[in-house]
Amino acid sequence: MCIIARNKSGVLKDIATVFAEHHANIIMIHLEACEGQGDEAFEELYVEFEGEIIEEDLLNGLQTLPGVSNVIIHRSFGDIFGKRVIIIGGGAQVAQVAMGAVNEADRHNIRGERISVDTIPLVGEKTLAQAVDAVTRLPRASILVLAGSLMGGDVSIAVDRVKAAGIPVITLNMAGTVVDHADLVVTDPTQAGVFAVMQISSIAVFDIFRVKGRKF
């Protein structure tokens, strides 16, 4: 749902109150400026929510707010893009993992699933650790693949935090301690991408936790 609202104090609180009154639990909010300046500035507020609600009543409640100019119903990102495979690491390895993941996701999406693949090539322990930690804050992130030649230290500690948040972690077989912290270690990058998609697929039979700690 997109809400075009005036950029002024109290409007966001009023919007959240309407959601609460209709027993809608907000699970995601994205806010950005869309038009105007000063008192005429408006923001576009994208909201995803859950709960057994009467959508028409919620829509009417939002439209009656004095700070709201328009409300537009959209399908959720989850319905459109589905679960996300996140691939982080060195450029060449990331590209190979992505190739396996995209090819496998295509096979599943043709049959009605929604699995998307996101990549970012990075170098440096601090930069990699920050990116890994950020995975837990990404909407719809379902599995993480680390693709590189050397990772350890703060990256390994960040991997533990990602796993604690319930997101499985696959890593390529590389130098460094990260291989001792991941759920699965895979030598072939293309196969790592395939495994990642199979793990989050609702129709595949692969279960990473049945082979947890093994290397392939």
Side-chain angles (χ1 to χ4, degrees), residues 129 151-161 176-181:
M151 293 186 194
D154 289 342
V155 180
S156 297
I157 297 171
V159 165
D160 289 337
R161 288 192 285 264
T177 59
V178 76
V179 294
D180 299 321
H181 293 254

Side-chain angles (χ1 to χ4, degrees), residues 156-179:
S156 297
I157 297 171
V159 165
D160 289 337
R161 288 192 285 264
V162 170
K163 290 167 57 181
I167 300 174
V169 179
I170 296 175
T171 180
L172 297 187
N173 196 7
M174 66 178 81
T177 59
V178 76
V179 294

Side-chain angles (χ1 to χ4, degrees), residues 25 38 106 109 112 114-115 119 140 152 160 178 184:
N25 180 42
D106 182 60
N109 291 345
R114 289 290 184 271
I115 298 174
T119 67
R140 302 177 292 103
D160 289 337
V178 76
L184 185 66

Side-chain angles (χ1 to χ4, degrees), residues 105-187:
D106 182 60
R107 189 170 69 87
H108 289 272
N109 291 345
I110 285 174
R111 294 185 286 175
E113 289 197 88
R114 289 290 184 271
I115 298 174
S116 55
V117 180
D118 295 87
T119 67
I120 181 168
L122 296 170
V123 295
E125 180 181 341
K126 182 178 179 180
T127 303
L128 285 166
Q130 290 174 341
V132 171
D133 268 326
V135 170
T136 60
R137 305 194 299 273
L138 290 175
R140 302 177 292 103
S142 301
I143 193 165
L144 169 64
V145 184
L146 293 176
S149 300
L150 171 64
M151 293 186 194
D154 289 342
V155 180
S156 297
I157 297 171
V159 165
D160 289 337
R161 288 192 285 264
V162 170
K163 290 167 57 181
I167 300 174
V169 179
I170 296 175
T171 180
L172 297 187
N173 196 7
M174 66 178 81
T177 59
V178 76
V179 294
D180 299 321
H181 293 254
D183 292 302
L184 185 66
V185 179
V186 183
T187 300

Side-chain angles (χ1 to χ4, degrees), residues 32 35 40 76-77 109 112 130 141 146 185 193 212 214-215:
E32 64 177 313
E35 59 183 50
E40 295 303 316
S76 71
F77 283 141
N109 291 345
Q130 290 174 341
L146 293 176
V185 179
K212 185 179 176 67
R214 295 181 59 184
K215 296 184 179 182

Side-chain angles (χ1 to χ4, degrees), residues 23-155:
H23 308 290
N25 180 42
I26 296 174
I27 57 176
M28 176 185 172
I29 294 180
H30 177 76
L31 179 67
E32 64 177 313
C34 60
E35 59 183 50
Q37 295 181 346
D39 292 339
E40 295 303 316
F42 284 85
E43 303 278 353
E44 181 180 87
L45 183 66
Y46 175 77
V47 182
E48 289 194 5
F49 56 92
E50 61 184 3
E52 297 182 3
I53 63 172
I54 301 176
E55 195 171 83
E56 185 176 347
D57 291 346
L58 174 62
L59 185 65
N60 291 336
L62 291 168
Q63 289 174 330
T64 60
L65 294 175
V68 172
S69 67
N70 195 14
V71 182
I72 307 168
I73 301 295
H74 294 292
R75 291 184 64 188
S76 71
F77 283 141
D79 289 340
I80 298 170
F81 295 110
K83 304 171 184 176
R84 298 170 74 182
V85 178
I86 310 298
I87 307 169
I88 298 174
Q93 292 93 333
V94 165
Q96 291 300 306
V97 174
M99 182 175 67
V102 169
N103 286 340
E104 183 69 12
D106 182 60
R107 189 170 69 87
H108 289 272
N109 291 345
I110 285 174
R111 294 185 286 175
E113 289 197 88
R114 289 290 184 271
I115 298 174
S116 55
V117 180
D118 295 87
T119 67
I120 181 168
L122 296 170
V123 295
E125 180 181 341
K126 182 178 179 180
T127 303
L128 285 166
Q130 290 174 341
V132 171
D133 268 326
V135 170
T136 60
R137 305 194 299 273
L138 290 175
R140 302 177 292 103
S142 301
I143 193 165
L144 169 64
V145 184
L146 293 176
S149 300
L150 171 64
M151 293 186 194
D154 289 342
V155 180

